[in-house]
């Protein structure tokens, strides 16, 4: 599909919001000319108020700005809706690299110059009959009116009486147009005061304008004042969403390629050039109204936004070459005293870390082309040999240079992410950085950067590698493992940003821990350092990776929590939506567990579970109330028992089953099933202090619903029966003592 933009100077890769064949009315833009093919970025310079006729623009009550080449003279003009129902044009009297905006002019449709008396939004898009861009106005709380263009490409003129569409309540001119369902017609996407974003499908034709009633748009609802801009942000010819919010921030939602229908990934905020999240609330008085355009002709799209105070702000987009140059310049400037400078000068610290995190943001958002990523890698890799005292793997003095281990680690992450993930590329990274021994194995074989200020012993590394190689790699996705205690206090204020990471304890190898309760058949003593690693990896499993790969098991976790909590705690449907507190409070009042007073609820909740064996033993790792309050721990904590001694965990569940506590076996099967990846075989673990690891094969027989019906290890045979919710209703366990 060919995607072109109405705005001269903006490329087809910028936006699909205006899906037209404009070959007859606007020149094609050459993708080979970077000045005419601006790229998007995640990073922007400080906001500057835009001026008109030498004075700061300030309209009444509100402003929402769009950038178009109104008169088709090759530069960007400003089209603005204010807070009183009026539209304004600010012509660019400069050129495409040096915008100078003239005095405002009223925009009209025929004799019509006012649309209601509140927030007003504007767009140019070809919706009506001919191929000229029509005037689309959002106004009067929940109205959008399309005025057909009956003028020319250089002198637009619009009919006075347009076609009006009613959209969602509280829209207040927050809208955009895009062919979301790729049927060749522009749809309406609307935001609202309460943050709901809706899609109004275009049901019209060449002769009739008609839009459907709004439907939820990818489930997005983020308070407040959501302003959508739907566009191809990353140049992959798929639609993304840029969402301005009440709180001064702007969030990017990229297209989700893993879905069969158009969908969006999770949001990522745009940033300032110091790496911190962009926010202009103290400038615009809330209600961010984002627009993208290359106002200064440098090949990088800038961010333009209005807000409640009627001003318009320009935030210059910062392309990745300049950030790479900033990083290199700072290394060179402070070659002899960078550690001291980072400790004493927050401006330098923000600049150097900001350059790395900005590069990282553009890499993750797909804004750096493949060829440029190779060049970026080569440039970054050279710096490792130029500045080994700062970027090489080594042990830094945390008293003297507290920020250097964090800087080196952040550099490693960006270098790793500059190339597509593959074992050969990880080998290139390891060679560039001079990684050896266990550090190299963790990176090359497992894709993990271990960040410990070179404090771990070879025994630490060997034990970590043994354990992690036995855990199915497809069940977790961790790019960095940090040891905060070995990295020092600077980590509290200067974070290491990675795609996904975990943190583990700074402990010697060999410290023992019994991971089983007193009613276990026997103790299950393991190594605290390694069980912490297993626990944190498990945090990345079901609730992160598995949520997409095994949504059935993700739901089963919450069904198991609901079963463990008993009948008076009510879960929503599906149970992953969490506890229905209103229904639960009703039950607690009915049974006399709560007096109905708001201030006593928390005590009532805690007291309901405290000191009761049925709740102390409803979860294999402690009183179930903790896991109801912290469901993110419900799966990860099972790893403490499973990796310490899987066979003992199964026996422990049978001991509790026979004592009438019949929920623990579901917790065992949840982690067993997830680690099995649906196969007919798996592994049992036994991990002892010092890193002694034994791994035993386990075979499964599955029922008609692919659930584990029978489990066979060396000396254990277990059989399970299920009810409709995939929870166990019968459990038999045979132990062959001769094989112990």
């Amino acid at each position: 599909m060919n995607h072109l933009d109405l705005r001269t100077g903006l490329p087809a890769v910028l936006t699909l919001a205006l899906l037209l064949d404009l070959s007859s009315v606007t020149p094609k833009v050459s993708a080979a000319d970077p000045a005419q093919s601006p790229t998007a970025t995640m990073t922007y310079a400080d906001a500057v108020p835009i001026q008109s006729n030498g004075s700061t623009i300030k309209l009444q009550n509100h402003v929402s700005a769009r950038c178009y080449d109104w008169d088709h003279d090759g530069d960007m003009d400003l089209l603005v809706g204010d807070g009183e129902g009026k539209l304004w044009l600010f012509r660019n009297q400069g050129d495409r690299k040096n915008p100078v905006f003239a005095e405002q002019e009223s925009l009209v449709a025929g004799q019509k110059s006012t649309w209601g008396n509140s927030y007003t939004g504007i767009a140019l898009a070809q919706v009506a009959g001919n191929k000229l861009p029509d005037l689309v106005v959002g106004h009067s709380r929940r109205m959008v009116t399309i005025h057909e263009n009956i003028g020319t490409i250089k002198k637009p003129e619009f009919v006075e009486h347009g076609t009006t569409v009613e959209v969602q309540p509280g829209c207040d001119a927050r809208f955009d147009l895009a062919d979301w369902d790729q049927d060749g017609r522009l749809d309406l996407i609307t935001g609202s005061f309460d943050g709901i974003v809706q899609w109004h499908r275009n049901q019209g034709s060449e002769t009739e304008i008609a839009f459907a009633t709004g439907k939820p748009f990818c489930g997005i609802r983020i308070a407040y004042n959501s302003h959508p801009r739907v566009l191809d942000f990353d140049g992959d010819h798929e639609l993304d969403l840029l969402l301005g919010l009440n709180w001064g921030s702007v969030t990017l939602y990229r297209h989700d390629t893993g879905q069969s229908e158009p969908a969006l990934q999770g949001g990522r905020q745009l940033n300032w050039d110091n790496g911190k999240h962009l926010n202009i609330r103290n400038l615009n008085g809330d209600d961010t109204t984002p627009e993208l355009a290359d106002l200064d002709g440098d090949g990088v799209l800038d961010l333009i936004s209005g807000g409640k105070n009627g001003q318009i702000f320009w935030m210059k987009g910062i392309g990745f070459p300049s950030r790479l140059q900033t990083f290199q310049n700072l290394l060179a400037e402070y070659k002899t005293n960078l550690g001291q400078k980072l400790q004493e000068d927050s401006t330098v610290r923000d600049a150097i870390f900001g350059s790395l995190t900005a590069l990282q943001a553009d890499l993750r958002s797909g804004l750096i082309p493949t060829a440029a990523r190779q060049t970026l890698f080569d440039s970054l890799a050279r710096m490792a040999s130029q500045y080994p005292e700062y970027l090489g793997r080594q042990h830094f003095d945390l008293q003297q240079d507290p920020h250097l281990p964090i800087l080196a680690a952040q550099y490693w992450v960006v270098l790793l992410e500059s190339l597509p993930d593959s074992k050969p590329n990880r080998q290139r990274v390891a060679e560039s950085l001079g990684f050896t021994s266990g550090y190299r194995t963790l990176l090359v074989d497992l894709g993990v950067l271990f960040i410990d200020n070179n404090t771990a012993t070879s025994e630490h590394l060997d034990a970590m590698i043994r354990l992690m190689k036995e855990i199915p790699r497809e069940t977790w996705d961790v790019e960095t493992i940090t040891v905060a205690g070995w990295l020092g206090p600077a980590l509290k204020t200067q974070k290491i940003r990675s795609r996904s990471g975990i943190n583990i304890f700074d402990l010697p190898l060999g410290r023992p821990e019994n991971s089983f309760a007193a009613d276990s058949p026997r103790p299950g003593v393991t190594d605290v350092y390694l069980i912490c690693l297993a626990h944190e990896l498990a945090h990345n499993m079901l609730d992160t990776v598995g949520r997409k790969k095994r949504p059935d098991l993700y739901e089963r976790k919450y069904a198991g929590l609901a079963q463990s909590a008993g009948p008076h705690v009510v879960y929503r449907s599906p149970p992953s939506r969490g506890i229905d507190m209103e229904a639960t409070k009703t039950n607690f009042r009915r049974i006399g567990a709560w007096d109905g007073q708001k201030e006593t609820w928390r005590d009532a909740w805690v007291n309901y579970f405290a000191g009761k064996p049925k709740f102390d033993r409803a979860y294999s790792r402690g009183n179930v109330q903790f896991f109801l309050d912290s469901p993110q721990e419900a799966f990860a904590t099972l790893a403490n028992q499973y990796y310490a001694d899987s066979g003992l965990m199964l026996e422990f569940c049978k001991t509790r089953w026979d004592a009438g506590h019949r929920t623990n076996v579901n917790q065992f099967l949840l982690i067993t099933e997830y680690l099995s990846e649906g196969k007919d075989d798996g592994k049992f673990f036994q991990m002892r202090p010092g890193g002694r690891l034994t791994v035993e094969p386990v075979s499964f027989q599955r029922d008609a619903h692919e659930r584990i019906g029978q489990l066979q290890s060396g000396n254990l045979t277990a059989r399970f029966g299920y009810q409709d919710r995939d929870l166990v209703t019968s459990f038999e366990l045979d132990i062959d003592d001769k094989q112990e």
Side-chain angles (χ1 to χ4, degrees):
M1 182 159 38
N2 184 29
H3 304 299
L4 302 171
D5 196 334
L6 279 163
R7 304 173 232 190
T8 300
L10 296 188
V13 297
L14 168 61
T15 177
L16 301 187
L18 306 167
L19 178 62
L20 307 169
D21 179 6
L22 296 179
S23 57
S24 61
V25 294
T26 189
K28 300 286 185 176
V29 177
S30 170
D33 181 359
Q36 292 189 346
S37 300
T39 58
T41 178
M42 296 293 292
T43 307
Y44 300 86
D46 291 344
V48 176
I50 294 179
Q51 294 188 337
S52 162
N53 199 28
S55 299
T56 297
I57 295 173
K58 187 170 180 62
L59 300 176
Q60 293 299 315
N61 300 327
H62 188 263
V63 63
S64 178
R66 303 297 292 262
C67 295
Y68 298 97
D69 187 2
W70 171 260
D71 46 14
H72 209 71
D73 64 353
D75 56 35
M76 284 293 157
D77 307 300
L78 280 175
L79 278 66
V80 175
D82 69 13
E84 296 186 329
K86 294 181 173 60
L87 304 177
W88 304 99
L89 167 65
F90 295 86
R91 293 182 189 269
N92 187 349
Q93 294 182 326
D95 56 40
R96 62 187 304 271
K97 292 190 176 183
N98 299 286
V100 178
F101 295 106
E103 189 73 30
Q104 67 195 60
E105 304 173 32
S106 177
L107 276 182
V108 298
Q111 299 300 311
K112 187 177 182 63
S113 62
T114 303
W115 287 260
N117 58 6
S118 59
Y119 291 2
T120 315
I122 184 172
L124 295 182
Q126 194 271 309
V127 183
N130 60 41
K131 293 193 175 184
L132 295 175
D134 306 308
L135 177 65
V136 185
V137 185
H139 62 96
S140 306
R141 305 299 183 192
R142 59 184 304 179
M143 302 298 177
V144 175
T145 300
I146 299 101
H147 298 270
E148 183 179 356
N149 190 343
I150 57 173
T152 67
I153 191 65
K154 291 190 175 183
K155 292 186 177 181
E157 183 180 345
F158 306 103
V159 298
E160 182 170 342
H161 300 290
T163 301
T164 297
V165 180
E166 187 172 304
V167 294
Q168 62 169 313
C171 174
D172 270 323
R174 304 172 180 94
F175 78 95
D176 203 358
L177 296 108
D179 183 11
W180 181 247
D181 57 358
Q182 300 181 3
D183 66 352
R185 297 189 298 262
L186 294 178
D187 308 310
L188 271 174
I189 291 88
T190 60
S192 62
F193 170 77
D194 60 5
I196 297 173
V197 182
Q198 289 191 348
W199 169 48
H200 302 259
R201 186 173 182 270
N202 190 334
Q203 297 179 323
S205 64
E206 290 187 4
T207 59
E208 181 183 9
I209 297 172
F211 292 90
T213 301
K215 295 182 178 180
F217 186 76
C218 300
I220 293 176
R221 178 175 182 171
I222 301 180
Y224 296 97
N225 295 328
S226 55
H227 280 264
R229 291 288 180 263
V230 183
L231 67 166
D232 181 9
F233 186 86
D234 51 19
D236 65 352
H237 303 291
E238 300 287 356
L239 285 171
D240 312 303
L241 172 68
L242 204 63
L243 196 67
L245 297 176
N246 189 73
W247 313 115
S249 61
V250 182
T251 303
L252 170 68
Y253 298 84
R254 292 182 63 201
H255 173 79
D256 190 345
T257 57
Q259 303 298 318
S260 58
E261 296 182 353
L264 298 171
Q265 301 176 21
R268 185 173 294 153
Q269 289 193 38
L270 303 186
N271 301 319
W272 294 122
D273 59 359
N274 63 6
K276 297 179 180 179
H277 291 324
L278 182 147
N279 190 303
I280 59 171
R281 189 183 188 190
N282 64 331
L283 298 175
N284 72 346
D286 292 344
D287 208 17
T288 311
T289 62
E291 170 71 324
L292 293 181
D294 184 10
L295 281 188
D296 57 0
D298 67 348
V300 181
L301 291 168
D302 308 314
L303 179 66
I304 297 94
S305 177
K308 287 186 176 180
N309 64 7
Q311 295 187 48
I312 309 172
F313 295 92
W314 172 36
M315 290 146 277
K316 177 179 168 59
I318 302 176
F320 79 89
S322 65
R323 293 191 284 275
L324 179 63
Q325 191 64 55
T326 296
F327 183 63
Q328 189 161 20
N329 289 347
L330 288 168
L331 289 173
E333 183 175 356
Y334 301 107
K335 181 173 175 58
T336 60
N337 64 336
L338 182 60
Q340 179 183 355
K341 198 68 178 177
L342 293 178
Q343 184 175 10
E344 296 175 352
D345 193 331
S346 61
T347 301
V348 173
R349 188 166 65 245
D350 286 347
I352 198 166
F353 277 99
S355 64
L356 287 173
T357 55
L359 283 170
Q360 187 179 41
D362 280 1
L363 283 165
R364 291 185 187 176
S365 298
L367 302 178
I368 302 180
T370 301
R373 290 177 67 175
Q374 179 61 62
T375 302
L376 174 62
F377 173 83
D378 293 340
S379 299
L380 286 169
R382 281 194 296 271
M383 296 181 198
S385 58
Q386 292 173 326
Y387 305 99
E389 67 274 30
Y390 299 139
L391 305 180
R393 180 174 276 284
Q394 61 200 281
H395 184 79
F396 293 97
D397 184 333
L398 296 179
Q399 293 295 321
Q400 182 176 339
D401 300 312
H403 290 89
L404 286 183
I406 305 171
L407 176 67
Q410 189 65 73
Y411 161 78
W412 301 341
V413 172
V414 176
L415 185 67
L416 178 62
E417 293 183 357
S418 64
L419 295 177
D421 184 53
S422 68
K423 188 169 184 177
N425 282 341
R426 295 196 296 269
Q427 288 174 333
R428 293 179 64 192
V429 174
E431 289 164 6
S432 298
L433 297 174
F435 279 19
T436 60
S437 66
Y439 295 114
R440 181 185 177 91
T441 302
L442 284 168
L443 173 57
V444 174
D445 292 354
L446 294 165
V448 172
L449 284 166
F450 185 40
I451 302 167
D452 67 330
N453 196 26
N454 268 40
T455 304
T457 64
S458 59
E459 290 77 17
H460 276 109
L461 295 169
D462 290 344
M464 291 172 68
I465 292 167
R466 283 197 301 273
L467 174 61
M468 293 170 68
K469 282 192 171 183
E470 292 292 350
I471 302 173
R473 187 62 182 86
E474 295 76 14
T475 63
W476 55 276
D477 177 25
V478 170
E479 184 179 55
T480 58
I481 298 176
T482 58
V483 187
W486 290 337
L487 292 171
L491 193 63
K492 295 179 180 179
T493 55
Q494 185 63 61
K495 304 299 182 184
I496 298 169
R497 301 172 187 264
S498 63
R499 185 188 72 250
S500 58
I502 61 173
N503 184 70
I504 59 176
F505 295 151
D506 54 327
L507 294 172
L509 203 62
R511 182 171 297 180
E513 173 191 280
N514 178 16
S515 292
F516 289 80
D519 58 325
S520 172
R522 58 188 177 278
V525 180
T526 188
D527 189 288
V528 180
Y529 179 85
L530 288 175
I531 208 63
C532 172
L533 172 63
H535 177 95
E536 296 302 327
L537 284 173
H539 267 299
N540 180 256
M541 291 182 181
L542 182 61
D543 290 349
T544 302
V545 176
R547 192 169 184 173
K548 284 190 174 182
K549 287 189 174 182
R550 293 299 306 270
D552 57 322
L553 294 183
Y554 183 71
E555 288 297 337
R556 194 189 298 184
K557 181 188 86 166
Y558 285 93
L561 284 171
Q563 181 194 43
S564 301
H568 299 129
V569 177
V570 181
Y571 269 76
R572 296 183 175 92
S573 181
S576 62
R577 292 180 58 205
I579 298 171
D580 184 336
M581 277 301 177
E582 292 306 312
T584 300
K585 288 177 179 179
T586 298
N587 282 343
F588 275 43
R589 288 198 67 181
R590 179 175 54 80
I591 64 174
W594 178 47
D595 61 9
Q597 301 301 310
K598 182 179 180 180
E599 59 271 14
T600 64
W601 167 248
R602 182 61 190 174
D603 287 341
W605 172 259
V606 172
N607 292 336
Y608 177 77
F609 298 100
K612 298 180 177 64
K614 66 177 180 178
F615 294 128
D616 287 337
R617 297 183 177 182
Y619 216 83
S620 67
R621 288 283 294 168
N623 189 289
V624 71
Q625 182 238 317
F626 173 78
F627 301 102
L628 299 179
D629 287 342
S630 306
Q632 73 277 8
E633 294 291 341
F635 182 84
T637 193
L638 300 178
N640 293 60
Q641 289 186 344
Y642 194 85
Y643 291 108
D645 195 325
S646 311
L648 176 58
M649 185 181 185
L650 180 60
E651 293 182 51
F652 176 47
C653 291
K654 187 63 166 70
T655 298
R656 285 198 168 174
W657 177 279
D658 292 342
H661 306 292
R662 302 198 163 189
T663 55
N664 291 254
V665 67
N666 293 303
Q667 296 143 30
F668 167 83
L669 284 169
L670 183 68
I671 191 166
T672 305
E673 184 70 271
Y674 182 73
L675 293 173
S676 77
E677 302 177 275
K679 300 174 184 176
D680 292 335
D681 54 76
K683 298 175 182 178
F684 268 10
F685 296 81
Q686 190 179 75
M687 189 163 59
R688 293 295 180 246
R692 291 178 289 122
L693 179 67
T694 303
V695 180
E696 180 183 11
V698 182
S699 62
F700 309 121
Q701 293 181 16
R702 297 183 177 275
D703 65 14
H705 298 284
E706 295 301 316
R707 300 170 298 203
I708 296 174
Q710 180 170 303
L711 178 155
Q712 177 72 57
S713 73
N715 70 321
L716 299 173
T717 302
R719 287 170 290 276
F720 312 99
Y722 296 86
Q723 62 185 34
D724 292 340
R725 291 191 303 162
D726 294 333
L727 301 178
V728 172
T729 54
S730 63
F731 176 18
E732 300 175 7
L733 179 64
D734 298 328
I735 303 175
D736 185 352
D737 294 330
K738 296 179 182 180
Q739 295 189 41
E740 285 188 336

